[in-house]
Structure formats: C-alpha cells, structure tokens
Amino acid sequence: MSRDALRPPARAPHAAVPPRLADTVRIEPAANGGHWLVSIDGVPVSRASSTVAATLSAMDGTAAVDDLRRRFAPDQEPEAFAALVERFRRAGLLEGSPRRPAGRVTYRPPLTIQLATLRAPLLFDRLHRLLRPLLRRWLVWPLAAIVVLGGVALVWQAETAARALTSPLPLADLGLVAAVMIAATLAHEAAHGLTLSHAGARPRRAGVMLLYLGPAFFVDVTDAWRLPSRGSRVVVALAGPAVHAVLGGAAALGALAVSDSDLLRALLVVACTCGTVVVVNLVPFVRFDGYLALMSALDEPRLRARTLSDAADALRRVLFGGPAGPRSFPRRWSVPFGVLSALVPTVIVVFAVERAVRALAGTGPVGAFLVLALQSFVVVAVGVRVARWLVACWRRGAGRFRFVLLAAFLTAAALGAAASVPVDDVRTTGFVVADDRVLLVSTDDSPASLPVADGSPVDLSTSGILSAHVATGTAWATAPRPRAVPLSAFSPLEVSGVDVDAVVIGAVDVAESSELPVAGRASLRLGSRSALEAAWTTHVVEPASVLLSFLSPPDTDTKETRR
C-alpha cells in the first residue's frame, strides 16, 4: 500500500459502510508517471501508488470494504484494511468526511491563522507575464556571487555589526529596516509563487497570516506536486530564502561602500536580519521552506505528519506498551525526525508566548486580556492534540492499570519537579547614568511592584535588538522620585530629544572602570523561586489581577468620602 497514507486510528467506526469517493476528489497520473495525484477541489493533497489509486477509484458506494480488500490487498488483515479506509475518510477523500477546502480564513495547527485572497492564480499569472523576460538561468551565477561575497563582507564587519545590533537604533534607522524587511518578506513569498508559475503550475491562495504570533505573508504552492521533477519542486521551496540571502548579501556589500554611520548601521542590521531569516527558514522540523525542500527532494509528501505519527506510536509503546502500529514512513530516521518535528515547534511556541507576555506586561487591562486569551488558546490547541494521543494510548496500550498508574506518576513527577526546581527571580527594568551615578528607573506608577533590596546583584546591558552585558553592580533602594529618562532605557529605540516619564527606584554601585551607555536595561536578581511559582505568577496571577482590578474596581464611596 502507499506509504503516504495516514496512520490508522485505533477504531474504524465507518468500516461497515461501503465507501464512496467524494465528488470533489480527482485521481490523475502524476507528471513523472511514477505515481498518481490525489486532489480535492483541484488542490493536490497526496501522491499515491497505482494500487492505492485503483482502490480509491473502485470506491463507488456499492463495493463493501471486505470486497475491496480481496480485490486490491488480499495480503492485508481485514482490521488493517478497514483502518486504511478510515484514513482515507479522515483525509477528506470519502463522502461524509469533515474536511473542507481552505478558504479565506484558515487555521493550521499548531499556531497559524491565514487570511487569504482566492485570486492568487490571476495575480501571479499577470506577474509572471510581466517578469518573464528577466527569468534567465544565467542570473543564478551573479546572484550566488552576491550571496557568497556578502557573507564574506559580513564576517569582515562582524565587530561593527555586533555594535549595530546591541545599540539602540535611531527612529529613522528603525523605520528603514522595518520597511526593507517587510518588502523583503513580500518578495520572498512572491518568489515562491512566481517560480511555481514559471515552472508550469499555479499558486492557489496568497495573503497574510499570524505565524507563531508574528505577522507574515504566505503563498500556497501545493500545486508544486504537479511538477514533473523533484528538482523543480525544490527550486520552488528555496526561491523564498534565496531572496533574503541575496538581499542580505547586497546589504553587507553596500555597508562596505558607505561612509554615513546611520546608513552603515541600518545596512548591517538588514544583512544580519536577512541571514537569520534564511537560517530559520531552512530548519526542516517546522513547516518552513527547508521542510518543503526536503519533502520535495525525497519525493515524500506529508513527511512531517507521517514521522510525527511514527514518533507518537513509538512513545506510546515505550510508556504504555501494546503492539506496534504500521510505520507511516519506513525510514530508520523516521522516529527521531518526528520527535524533533514535535519539539522544535514547541520551543518556537513557548518563545513566542514568552515574548508576547513580556511585551504586553504593564500595558494595562487590554494587554492582560490579550495575554490570558493567547495562553488559553495555546493551552486548548495543544491540549486537544495531547488528549487525542492519550485516547489512542488508552485504546492500544498493554493495560488500563498501567496506563492510569504511569500517567499519574508522570503528572506528579512533572509538577513535583516544577515545584522544586529553583529558577532565578530576575526582574528587568531600565537604568540611566546621571551625574556620575547609575539610577534604576521604572515606568510603573507603583515602584513597590519592583522591590529593590539593598545589596541585590544587578546586571547592566545595552538595549539594542540584542543585549550586550556591560557591567555588574550592586543595587540600593532609594526614595521613589519622578524623572524623565531617555526612551532607550526601556526599548531598543533611540529618539533624540524625546524622554519618557519614569520613577527612580534605586541606585547601582559599579566599578569605576566600567564604560556604560547613557541608558539601558537592568536585570535585578532578587533570589530564587520555584519554576512552577515563577510561571504561575508571571503568566496567570499578574495578568489576572490586572484584569480583575479593572473589571471590579475597589469601592471608594465610603462613609468618610461622602462626608
């Protein structure tokens, strides 16, 4: 049977119903002749072997499941073949399937929401006609030279680039970098669609999306499965990162030729940002371009889903026992790849949530509501997937008693470890240098929310896009007093003549030889607390208290105030 079939669930509730192929499903020979292409509403969803294609074509609603098994898979056990039919149903290929084609608004787990235009085929057809005269093979060589020479230039300017990334950016530089990167992201996605059109297929959808809580553009290039060669599909996948690589190389080369310090800094930030985008995009364990290129090079559709299935089955057998299920992807590295395909997106989601919580902290009830809503959404989305896996473990495990005992033990062990493992209690605020003194400043109206204990260690760092440690000192509490401070004390932005209102909450003793910026970030180490307490306080208690105090303000209409 085809290796691209979905992993079977434990039960096949529809197995007794004669299956019928959905009216929206088409089965056609692939361009290379080695496989068949299965599409829903004209959108390719899978590649199938001749046997699977014949099996699907025979599902006309009159042939029973067992009759189909005897005709096309006589060596299969009845239960295994019935489970295969259920896979087809869950994939949206049979009548009564819950799957619907992607529309204007689509959610894709674990954390992606797409808002699309369905006129992408027309838009990219016009773009291709306009740019076709420029699409020549010989262009690859000068563009590759720009990437290589730009990489050398960036290494040559590494020290200057580090200062640019760790220092606050002027507003004009930040605006220039933001505009260039937005345009680069748009060109990145357009390159996918343009390359696909040039190869003879067409994009289905395009638009904007929230990808792991960050805004981005996207182009649906699923139609690449219609292309005759693996190489063509790999080129489509890598066309986007190539745009960022060329832009980053050109920016690094341009930085060698400019003398203006502000423009030099902006070019180096663009070069480093583009390089980061390329590296992250090539990670094959997330549905980024590197994964699509690997899947295309191997000619293995649904690679990530199949390896995740194998990894989940392996973990189920290790923890709860039971028989091994059929491998969805029969390669030796299937399980390790599936484990990494689960861990890497998890790390990205955790990082995105932490970044959002830090960014929204102190922004009032609206920010508190967004923090709680975002975290609830993530918990539900992840919890549903974990619950489905646990149900499969319950049904296929070696024993119910072992399942309950081990599940209780693992839950207790995780909570116990989180409650006992200490983590540093670090609070971040700003600092300024005034009158040869280092002052700790906070934007909070109530300085008590950030306690400063005499003798607390403090790490001082720059406030750029990245932070660079500059000194370590000792904090001392002072009487709170208002003070106007530079914007760079709280953000990676530097605006000449623009200060923000803050409150001085302490002072810091540092070595006299320390060279400090005018303002930056200060991290107070207030001791330690358990990981569970830190997470619960930061992610639940603090935003919930802000929201509740807004929804239920204290009653100040007392007898004393009415007199």
Side-chain angles (χ1 to χ4, degrees):
M1 303 303 296
S2 170
R3 295 180 299 177
D4 62 339
L6 296 172
R7 184 181 180 278
R11 296 176 182 174
H14 304 280
V17 179
R20 178 191 294 274
L21 202 65
D23 294 337
T24 57
V25 175
R26 295 291 181 269
I27 303 173
E28 54 189 306
N32 58 10
H35 290 81
W36 292 74
L37 202 63
V38 182
S39 62
I40 300 177
D41 286 321
V43 180
V45 296
S46 183
R47 288 158 65 86
S49 66
S50 298
T51 302
V52 170
T55 304
L56 287 170
S57 300
M59 293 182 177
D60 56 3
T62 60
V65 171
D66 199 51
D67 293 336
L68 294 170
R69 181 188 67 83
R70 284 194 293 267
R71 288 175 56 190
F72 299 103
D75 57 330
Q76 285 271 352
E77 294 293 332
E79 182 180 351
F81 188 83
L84 175 64
V85 174
E86 183 63 18
R87 299 181 208 177
F88 296 149
R89 190 181 305 277
R90 292 172 64 88
L93 303 180
L94 304 181
E95 281 190 355
S97 301
R99 177 167 178 162
R100 291 184 297 179
R104 297 187 183 276
V105 180
T106 306
Y107 168 71
R108 297 188 183 280
L111 206 61
T112 300
I113 300 176
Q114 297 177 341
L115 179 62
T117 174
L118 303 183
R119 299 184 62 191
L122 177 61
L123 295 175
F124 278 98
D125 182 61
R126 292 176 177 175
L127 181 63
H128 181 241
R129 288 200 303 268
L130 178 65
L131 299 179
R132 179 182 293 173
L134 303 177
L135 302 178
R136 296 290 184 262
R137 289 183 179 272
W138 59 266
L139 276 177
V140 173
W141 299 108
L143 294 179
I146 291 175
V147 174
V148 173
L149 294 176
V152 174
L154 188 58
V155 173
W156 181 266
Q157 304 171 91
E159 186 176 348
T160 307
R163 287 198 302 270
L165 291 172
T166 56
S167 301
L169 285 176
L171 182 60
D173 288 10
L174 183 63
L176 176 61
V177 171
V180 170
M181 294 311 302
I182 291 174
T185 304
L186 182 60
H188 174 123
E189 295 302 327
H192 287 306
L194 184 61
T195 307
L196 181 64
S197 298
H198 190 65
R202 61 177 185 170
R204 296 287 174 176
R205 301 162 64 246
V208 296
M209 65 180 174
L210 281 178
L211 177 65
Y212 296 104
L213 308 182
F217 300 100
F218 79 94
V219 174
D220 184 350
V221 294
T222 309
D223 216 41
W225 286 114
R226 298 185 183 278
L227 301 180
S229 69
R230 303 183 187 187
S232 299
R233 296 193 292 272
V234 171
V235 169
V236 171
L238 297 182
V243 169
H244 273 98
V246 171
L247 177 60
L253 290 172
L256 290 174
V258 301
S259 57
D260 182 76
S261 60
D262 288 342
L263 182 57
L264 170 66
R265 177 168 42 196
L267 288 173
L268 289 176
V269 171
V270 167
C272 293
T273 305
C274 286
T276 302
V277 170
V278 172
V279 171
V280 172
N281 255 272
L282 295 181
V283 173
F285 306 113
V286 193
R287 287 187 59 87
F288 293 157
D289 296 330
Y291 163 74
L292 298 177
L294 176 63
M295 182 175 63
S296 300
L298 296 175
D299 201 23
E300 294 287 357
R302 301 189 61 259
L303 175 64
R304 186 170 180 271
R306 292 155 62 194
T307 56
L308 280 171
S309 177
D310 290 341
D313 186 68
L315 181 61
R316 187 262 309 167
R317 285 187 286 114
V318 169
L319 293 178
F320 305 113
R327 292 289 290 270
S328 296
F329 184 63
R331 298 285 184 93
R332 299 176 65 178
W333 47 271
S334 176
V335 171
F337 191 92
V339 171
L340 290 172
S341 295
L343 291 180
V344 173
T346 300
V347 171
I348 294 176
V349 169
V350 170
F351 175 78
V353 170
E354 288 291 335
R355 183 182 63 178
V357 170
R358 288 197 301 268
L360 294 171
T363 57
V366 174
F369 173 78
L370 291 176
V371 166
L372 293 173
L374 169 65
Q375 294 178 137
S376 299
F377 176 79
V378 172
V379 168
V380 171
V382 175
V384 168
R385 298 171 72 88
V386 173
R388 289 175 178 172
W389 177 72
L390 289 175
V391 169
C393 294
W394 173 267
R395 291 173 174 172
R396 302 183 61 188
R400 303 294 171 84
F401 177 76
R402 174 179 174 176
F403 177 90
V404 173
L405 184 63
L406 189 57
F409 171 78
L410 292 176
T411 302
L415 292 176
S420 59
V421 173
V423 297
D424 291 336
D425 186 4
V426 179
R427 311 292 177 90
T428 301
T429 186
F431 78 87
V432 295
V433 178
D435 301 327
D436 295 329
R437 297 186 64 195
V438 180
L439 304 177
L440 295 175
V441 292
S442 172
T443 57
D444 294 339
D445 294 333
S446 174
S449 63
L450 186 62
V452 179
D454 291 344
S456 299
V458 181
D459 294 320
L460 305 180
S461 60
T462 60
S463 59
I465 297 175
L466 302 178
S467 296
H469 182 269
V470 292
T472 299
T474 304
W476 304 96
T478 62
R481 65 182 187 276
R483 183 185 180 91
V485 301
L487 183 61
S488 57
F490 304 107
S491 75
L493 185 62
E494 182 179 60
V495 182
S496 178
V498 175
D499 294 334
V500 296
D501 293 332
V503 178
V504 177
I505 58 175
V508 182
D509 291 339
V510 297
E512 294 183 359
S513 60
S514 300
E515 295 184 4
L516 300 177
V518 174
R521 298 174 183 170
S523 299
L524 281 79
R525 286 176 278 166
L526 304 179
S528 64
R529 52 182 175 173
S530 71
L532 183 61
E533 179 187 0
W536 178 256
T537 301
T538 302
H539 294 270
V540 179
V541 174
E542 292 179 354
S545 62
V546 171
L547 189 60
L548 290 175
S549 63
F550 173 76
L551 296 176
S552 301
D555 185 9
T556 58
D557 188 21
T558 62
K559 293 181 180 179
E560 288 77 8
T561 59
R562 288 196 299 265
R563 290 176 181 175

